[in-house]
Amino acid sequence: MAGMLNEAMIAEYFRNKSVLITGATGFLGKILVEKILRVQPDVKMIYLLVRAPDAVAARQRVETEVVRRELFCLLRQRHGSGFDTFVTERVVVLAGDVTCESFGIEAKKLRELRLTDELNIIVNSAATTNFYERYDKALDVNVMGVKHMCDFAARCPNLEVLLHVSTAYVAGEKHGMVPERLFMDGETLRDGIHLDIDAELRLARDLRNQMEADNDIDMLPKFKRKAMKDLGLTRARHFGWPNTYVFTKSMGEMMLGQMTCGGDVSVLIVRPSMITSVQSDPLPGWLEGTRTIDMILIGYAKQSLSCFLADLDLTMDVMPADMVVNAMMAAMVSHASSSRWLDSNNKPLQHPLLVRPSKLLVYHVTSSMRHPASYAVLYRTGIRYFEDHPRMGPDGRAVRTQKVGDAAGGPLWALLALQGLL
């Protein structure tokens, strides 16, 4: 390759681009929105698809769940009293839903915005990440949502790149190196078993229809939810996946492959591992809610976690959210199908890394190969941090944080001797 991407090139690519982002109210989505606005204030427009009954409710969600978060502190400082105007001029909120055709956006609205004509980039980060989600809901969002995205993308003549956020755990419980490749249509994690996505959609639909038609007392809403959750888990394990979330995300990848094969638009899948707090940019340590590995640290800090079974030598594959977003943006820029870039003076820019892939590309955003961190690191750093920064009790005195396992009569090392992970 003739050169390497740098921050300036990545930021420059987004100048005068129109970007559609689904899942923008989610943890990763709002970090992406903030990053684009901060590094490229001359982005043409960012369209945020938000699940809401109407435009007013959608704008309210973005206002409270995205723009007003402390994550946007640097942007607020930079623009001061003009922050609201800056955001209003560059962000358009669309009330819609990925589970609907055309994302549920009215044709009149699409024509008014000239959305399909204007779009250059689509990023699909919408997903239900509940491991044990209702099977019908997981299929609607994680599989049919991808189909609707592809249908919408096919109507966008100026689209340059379509990026879909998946998860590294579509690999299930495989050991060793997992290649960066797309799941083949019908492929499963168990030999000799073929997966038919249409059949799975019918299975979930038939069960839902059957339960809706059944007025028996046993078919109360909570029993219906349980039946649908059990179905998802059963089907996932039948095909070799550990839970409904990663199973339906795998099917989403297959759907993407089916619908984009042979197209001219660059199509990318990004598979992050466990996403944790922001490392440095824009707000070190920023986290929203409790996520994956963070629940263990909180349990330890509150002394409500008596033990945690794991192999101390096992790799704990976590990725800071800002690194995931950086990888997404770099991938988009590297593979954008646009062959002509313009600088701030509208002069052509040479793009030394321009690649027009002949097939869909997959990127793993993980840490295990280059910078592995074992659970022993989690153990040691957790103890050291809370020794240096102890919790304060109601009386204002420091509360000693015991090592996990002390109450059981032994150190954590002994309790973690068993192989395995949650």
Side-chain angles (χ1 to χ4, degrees):
M1 297 226 176
M4 295 185 67
L5 281 176
N6 55 42
E7 292 182 17
M9 291 180 64
I10 294 173
E12 189 60 38
Y13 170 74
F14 289 91
R15 183 186 299 276
N16 294 323
K17 299 294 184 183
S18 292
V19 187
L20 172 66
I21 301 175
T22 71
T25 58
F27 181 59
L28 199 64
K30 65 187 65 175
I31 295 175
L32 175 62
V33 172
E34 190 278 340
K35 179 78 172 189
I36 294 175
L37 289 174
R38 178 161 44 83
V39 302
Q40 186 45 268
D42 291 325
V43 63
K44 185 174 183 180
M45 197 65 68
I46 300 179
Y47 298 93
L48 306 182
L49 184 72
V50 178
R51 189 174 67 247
D54 53 47
V56 174
R59 285 194 295 270
Q60 183 63 34
R61 280 198 67 189
V62 170
E63 181 72 14
T64 58
E65 299 178 32
V66 181
V67 177
R68 291 301 164 190
R69 296 297 189 185
E70 59 271 28
L71 179 71
F72 285 71
C73 60
L74 289 184
L75 272 174
R76 284 197 201 93
Q77 292 173 10
R78 180 178 300 174
H79 294 280
S81 60
F83 173 75
D84 290 337
T85 300
F86 169 75
V87 172
T88 300
E89 290 176 347
R90 287 160 181 81
V91 175
V92 173
V93 182
L94 303 170
D97 195 326
V98 297
T99 66
C100 302
E101 293 184 6
S102 296
F103 295 141
I105 305 173
E106 294 181 356
K108 180 181 177 181
K109 185 68 172 179
L110 291 176
R111 288 194 299 269
E112 289 175 354
L113 295 173
R114 301 189 71 247
L115 184 58
T116 53
D117 294 328
E118 296 287 340
L119 273 185
N120 307 116
I121 302 164
I122 295 178
V123 178
N124 181 41
S125 65
T128 173
T129 59
N130 185 340
F131 284 9
Y132 308 110
E133 182 62 89
R134 288 179 54 123
Y135 196 34
D136 54 347
K137 181 177 179 181
L139 287 169
D140 282 346
V141 178
N142 295 343
V143 182
M144 293 305 294
V146 175
K147 180 183 184 301
H148 297 146
M149 173 189 66
C150 293
D151 287 338
F152 192 86
R155 298 159 56 189
C156 301
N158 293 307
L159 194 65
E160 298 173 8
V161 60
L162 187 159
L163 185 144
H164 172 66
V165 180
S166 185
T167 170
Y169 299 105
V170 293
E173 298 172 340
K174 286 183 178 179
H175 294 277
M177 186 176 294
V178 178
E180 291 179 318
R181 70 168 183 83
L182 179 70
F183 272 95
M184 302 299 291
D185 188 23
E187 181 181 357
T188 72
L189 299 184
R190 293 182 62 187
D191 293 337
I193 299 180
H194 179 81
L195 172 61
D196 185 333
I197 295 178
D198 289 335
E200 295 304 307
L201 292 168
R202 285 195 301 271
L203 186 64
R205 183 174 60 248
D206 290 346
L207 177 60
R208 180 168 55 193
N209 292 340
Q210 178 185 336
M211 291 190 299
E212 288 177 353
D214 193 339
N215 294 320
D216 190 275
I217 188 68
D218 291 335
M219 283 293 105
L220 292 172
K222 66 177 181 179
F223 293 110
K224 293 179 181 180
R225 286 194 298 270
K226 184 179 186 305
M228 197 60 81
K229 287 182 178 182
D230 289 345
L231 176 62
L233 190 57
T234 298
R235 299 305 290 170
R237 291 177 175 173
H238 172 73
F239 291 109
W241 280 272
N243 57 63
T244 307
Y245 165 56
V246 295
F247 176 43
T248 53
K249 290 296 284 185
S250 302
M251 284 193 279
E253 290 192 9
M254 295 177 199
M255 179 68 73
L256 187 62
Q258 289 177 14
M259 301 196 64
T260 59
C261 182
D264 293 330
V265 175
S266 297
V267 181
L268 308 171
I269 291 176
V270 170
R271 292 176 179 164
S273 53
M274 285 189 287
I275 303 175
T276 187
S277 59
V278 170
Q279 182 196 31
S280 58
D281 188 19
L283 191 62
W286 185 78
L287 183 67
E288 193 170 55
T290 54
R291 313 179 60 81
T292 58
I293 205 75
D294 312 302
M295 299 178 68
I296 298 171
L297 295 172
I298 291 172
Y300 176 49
K302 293 181 176 181
Q303 297 289 272
S304 60
L305 183 68
S306 60
C307 68
F308 173 56
L309 301 181
D311 179 357
L312 286 176
D313 296 324
L314 191 67
T315 297
M316 172 190 63
D317 205 325
V318 296
M319 286 299 298
D322 52 334
M323 287 189 178
V324 177
V325 165
N326 290 345
M328 291 165 59
M329 294 176 68
M332 285 187 273
V333 176
S334 293
H335 300 289
S337 60
S338 172
S339 59
R340 183 170 180 264
W341 288 15
L342 302 178
D343 62 16
S344 56
N345 296 316
N346 286 327
K347 294 182 179 180
L349 276 175
Q350 294 298 317
H351 179 17
L353 289 186
L354 182 64
V355 178
R356 298 195 66 177
S358 58
K359 60 180 181 180
L360 186 151
L361 294 179
V362 177
Y363 282 99
H364 288 170
V365 185
T366 61
S367 63
S368 59
M369 288 295 292
R370 184 168 296 180
H371 298 292
S374 67
Y375 279 92
V377 173
L378 178 66
Y379 166 62
R380 291 194 299 267
T381 55
I383 291 175
R384 185 168 65 245
Y385 178 85
F386 289 110
E387 284 179 348
D388 295 340
H389 305 87
R391 293 182 303 124
M392 306 305 292
D395 57 0
R397 296 183 179 182
V399 177
R400 178 178 176 271
T401 303
Q402 293 181 323
K403 293 181 180 179
V404 175
D406 280 358
L412 183 64
W413 297 92
L415 290 171
L416 295 183
L418 294 177
Q419 296 285 333
L421 182 60
L422 287 179

